[in-house]
Amino acid sequence: MSVDFEALAVEAESAVSTASDFAQLDAVRVRFLGKKGTITTLAETIRSLPTEERPLFGQRLNALRQAVTAAIENRKAFLEAETDAAAFAALDVSLPGNIPNVGTLHPLTQILDRAVCICRRLGFALATGPCVETEFHCFDALNTPADHPARNEQDTFYFHNGRLLRTHTSSVQVRVMEKNNPPLRIIAPGPAFRRDEIDATHSAQFHQLEGLYVNRKVSVADLKGTLDFFFRELLGTGAELRFRPHFFPFTEPSFEIDVRASGLGDRERWLEMGGCGMVDPAVFDAINKSRSDQAFDPEEWSGFAFGIGLDRLAMVLFGIPDIRFLAANDLRMLRQFAV
Ligand code: PHE
């Protein structure tokens, strides 16, 4: 049997090079190399050849198979390149990409992050407590008697089970002292809730940064030095602090903290930023009673505490005119403070 391998090679070559897409190319592959393809069928005829013709026939058939396989691969690569080029031709790589919508930090979170960083440098550890509190942690342990106005239904959100939305973060002071021994130094940021008449500067939910330092011989000077440092780090070295005598049931003496700084808009205006004072020994007594030990012996231990309003701070620092904007989650507002 004589086979014209050269003619077959030319035929395959021309079929491959005229295949203009992947489907046509595959049809060519099936035609020559498929189960019933020309080359496969020829291979099956080897056995019927006289023995001396087999090696040469086999060699030529193999050479043909390799040539066709290679031609198909080449053509495939060419068609792929052509497809890519067509796709890229429609693509303008100079167009701006799609910017992913990853969100940004809320202005309150930004202030909080900065505040926490500053306190960490002073050695304060981060503490947390629940927003739904017991009266004990929110009031009783903090020396706040049953007839204190803060405990009034008019001022506080109570649940039916006697629990309440904490009216301040000072409840975390109690929780920390119940579980830890002095000396200790913590900050506790978080939301607090009051039944306030809601307007541009009052919201039923606001945020505080609580601080508590307990050690031997803690003084008002320590308290002032700490808050001075804190506000100067936060607002610049030009920040000035003023401590106004005040009353809180759980500190004695107590102060309100006023701050003025050029970063706060009007350089001349004092802004009230929160409350502070020296931990009242009655609080230590209540803690000891709750723990059933004398870990916070008021004869040995003293401390200071502060609570700073974060919403107010965010409002003045970012120039946000209405406290309600902080909770409204309007993207048009939030985007202005994206970092
Ligand atoms: N808890 C007080 C308030 O919410 C602030 C405060 C905290 C005062 C710690 C003294 C010490 O007004």
Side-chain angles (χ1 to χ4, degrees):
M1 171 177 151
S2 93
V3 174
D4 188 345
F5 285 100
E6 246 131 67
L8 267 177
V10 171
E11 190 192 335
E13 183 72 32
S14 115
V16 167
S17 59
T18 52
S20 55
D21 59 33
F22 293 108
Q24 284 180 24
L25 186 62
D26 201 52
V28 175
R29 182 189 61 78
V30 171
R31 180 172 143 204
F32 288 94
L33 301 168
K35 267 196 190 140
K36 292 184 181 140
T38 318
I39 292 173
T40 320
T41 314
L42 280 176
E44 279 157 12
T45 64
I46 280 197
R47 263 173 289 132
S48 59
L49 290 180
T51 323
E52 68 279 9
E53 286 183 20
R54 288 184 191 174
L56 183 61
F57 187 92
Q59 264 173 29
R60 303 190 78 178
L61 189 64
N62 260 343
L64 179 66
R65 183 189 284 118
Q66 276 164 17
V68 174
T69 309
I72 289 176
E73 282 307 310
N74 279 343
R75 185 69 185 165
K76 202 171 151 202
F78 172 81
L79 289 177
E80 272 166 4
E82 217 178 42
T83 315
D84 285 353
F88 282 126
L91 181 76
D92 181 352
V93 290
S94 67
L95 280 175
N98 294 326
I99 296 162
N101 201 358
V102 288
T104 180
L105 294 180
H106 190 281
L108 268 175
T109 312
Q110 293 178 41
I111 295 286
L112 181 61
D113 282 354
R114 282 169 60 191
V116 170
C117 276
I118 297 168
C119 293
R120 282 242 162 122
R121 283 163 56 207
L122 289 169
F124 285 84
L126 206 54
T128 53
C131 292
V132 177
E133 259 302 0
T134 63
E135 285 199 66
F136 174 77
H137 290 94
C138 202
F139 298 129
D140 299 279
L142 289 167
N143 196 32
T144 307
D147 60 357
H148 193 279
R151 301 183 69 144
N152 201 298
E153 292 258 354
Q154 305 302 312
D155 289 315
T156 302
F157 295 105
Y158 285 95
F159 295 97
H160 292 304
N161 61 7
R163 299 216 171 202
L164 50 97
L165 290 178
R166 67 180 181 195
T167 58
H168 52 187
T169 45
S170 299
S171 54
V172 186
Q173 288 187 37
V174 178
R175 290 192 174 270
V176 167
M177 287 192 279
E178 280 179 325
K179 293 262 157 61
N180 300 276
N181 293 334
L184 50 86
R185 193 162 25 174
I186 57 103
I187 46 166
F193 309 84
R194 286 179 203 171
R195 251 183 216 278
D196 261 331
E197 200 65 56
I198 294 170
D199 62 24
T201 53
H202 295 86
S203 163
Q205 177 185 338
F206 54 100
H207 300 80
Q208 292 186 320
L209 176 69
E210 190 80 15
L212 172 69
Y213 175 50
V214 178
N215 208 336
R216 296 183 178 88
K217 298 197 173 65
V218 179
S219 70
V220 173
D222 297 322
L223 169 61
K224 291 185 87 169
T226 302
L227 288 172
D228 245 336
F229 178 82
F230 174 81
F231 280 106
R232 290 167 63 147
E233 285 296 298
L234 193 68
L235 305 171
T237 44
E240 284 177 88
L241 259 66
R242 184 171 76 176
F243 286 71
R244 246 180 319 108
H246 194 72
F247 174 79
F248 297 106
F250 37 94
T251 46
E252 178 60 30
S254 304
F255 310 94
E256 280 193 316
I257 313 156
D258 293 342
V259 178
R260 68 179 180 190
S262 39
L264 296 180
D266 181 357
R267 179 72 184 83
E268 296 309 310
R269 201 157 59 104
W270 289 101
L271 288 174
E272 189 195 316
M273 286 295 168
C276 64
M278 305 306 292
V279 178
D280 194 309
V283 173
F284 288 146
D285 287 337
I287 299 288
N288 288 334
K289 209 167 147 206
S290 158
R291 296 171 49 124
S292 332
D293 65 14
Q294 275 296 308
F296 287 84
D297 180 356
E299 296 296 320
E300 183 179 359
W301 301 101
S302 47
F304 68 67
F306 58 82
I308 295 163
L310 290 174
D311 305 74
R312 186 67 173 295
L313 207 49
M315 286 168 73
V316 284
L317 277 179
F318 288 111
I320 299 170
D322 192 316
I323 193 170
R324 289 166 291 196
F325 290 166
L326 289 174
N329 278 338
D330 186 328
L331 289 177
R332 290 170 303 177
M333 197 289 283
L334 296 174
R335 280 203 181 106
Q336 296 176 52
F337 308 105
V339 282

